[in-house]
Amino acid sequence: MIPFDATKPLLVFGGPYSNLEATRAMRQRAEDLAIPANNVICTGDVVAYCAAPEETARLVADWGCHVIQGNCEQQLAAGAEDCACNFEDGTECAALAKGWYPFANSRMSDEMRAWMGDLPTTLRFTFAGRTFRVIHGGTDVINRWVFPSERDILTEEVVLAGADVIIAGHSGIPSITRVRNRVWFNPGVIGMPANDGTTDVWYGLIRPNDDGGVMLSTHRLAYDHH
């Protein structure tokens, strides 16, 4: 059982993606909201596209928040040759990965690789009377792409996850989707914009409701991207 501070919201975010400036802004936002590190959850992919892989990993580790492994953590911990992101061949993301992954892999310390390798692959907890499960991509397939428009995949995943609310990452698109009597909650990522025409990144909050339930919400985070 995770000893959350039940008087505070939970702050959830995905994909710092080696973006040190955005990660600093996320930590500052948590402090501004008076949310302690133990009430903060990251859905993985601490290291990816951006310029400061080692520094970003150290910042997240020093923060002391809860982090699960994404495919990037698994691959970097193993010193693998690619990110195993499951991009389609010929896409821009697949092309970018051929540049950023070797860059990140060459700059990770043994200490941070060990930290990544020791992270859990999932978290389960109860908060405000609801059961939660934190995953990266899919429940059984860490790099599975799950989008809110894919109802069949969502239905399959919520059954596999076995919780009232599933907190997921990987896709990078913030969304709150009701599937039958459960909720798929992707708070978005902080390392890159959500392809919405702005430079903002995204995170989520989980607050207890007065009626004994929980309220989920997504929020923009602006930072000095220059």
Side-chain angles (χ1 to χ4, degrees):
M1 183 66 67
I2 299 173
F4 293 122
D5 182 345
T7 67
K8 304 286 187 180
L10 302 182
L11 187 153
V12 294
F13 65 94
Y17 292 166
S18 306
N19 188 331
L20 183 62
E21 291 77 16
T23 306
R24 285 173 174 161
M26 184 76 273
R27 186 170 178 176
Q28 185 60 55
R29 177 63 57 85
E31 293 177 4
D32 293 344
L33 294 171
I35 298 176
N38 199 55
N39 278 40
V40 177
I41 299 169
C42 173
T43 63
D45 284 356
V46 172
V47 168
Y49 301 91
C50 299
E54 173 76 8
E55 298 87 345
T56 303
R58 286 189 176 276
L59 178 60
V60 174
D62 175 72
W63 190 352
C65 60
H66 302 283
V67 187
I68 66 167
Q69 286 183 358
N71 52 281
C72 292
E73 280 77 24
Q74 289 189 348
Q75 296 297 95
L76 287 165
E81 293 183 356
D82 59 56
C83 66
C85 292
N86 195 24
F87 297 133
E88 291 185 15
D89 290 341
T91 63
E92 186 172 358
C93 285
L96 287 171
K98 293 178 181 178
W100 72 252
Y101 183 83
F103 174 86
N105 197 26
S106 69
R107 284 160 175 77
M108 297 307 301
S109 66
D110 291 343
E111 180 184 357
M112 286 296 96
R113 290 185 201 274
W115 173 76
M116 291 178 174
D118 287 340
L119 295 173
T121 57
T122 189
L123 292 174
R124 292 181 181 269
F125 61 90
T126 300
F127 185 75
R130 298 293 188 271
T131 58
F132 288 78
R133 185 167 182 182
V134 185
I135 62 176
H136 179 66
T139 306
D140 293 335
V141 180
I142 193 169
N143 62 356
R144 189 180 196 185
W145 299 104
V146 182
F147 296 101
S149 59
E150 299 173 316
R151 301 297 298 189
D152 290 346
I153 293 176
L154 280 172
T155 299
E156 177 186 343
E157 286 291 343
V158 298
V159 171
L160 287 170
D164 296 324
V165 181
I166 299 88
I167 304 171
H170 197 53
S171 78
I173 306 299
S175 62
I176 303 170
T177 310
R178 183 172 294 277
V179 186
R180 296 182 178 178
N181 62 340
R182 299 174 183 177
V183 175
W184 185 270
F185 181 31
N186 192 318
V189 298
I190 63 169
M192 293 180 72
N195 196 24
D196 61 0
T198 77
T199 57
D200 295 345
V201 294
W202 291 82
Y203 68 97
L205 292 174
I206 303 170
R207 296 184 176 94
N209 263 348
D210 292 338
D211 63 4
V214 292
M215 181 175 67
L216 312 177
S217 56
T218 56
H219 302 266
R220 292 179 179 272
L221 177 67
Y223 71 101
D224 186 2
H225 59 278
H226 292 292

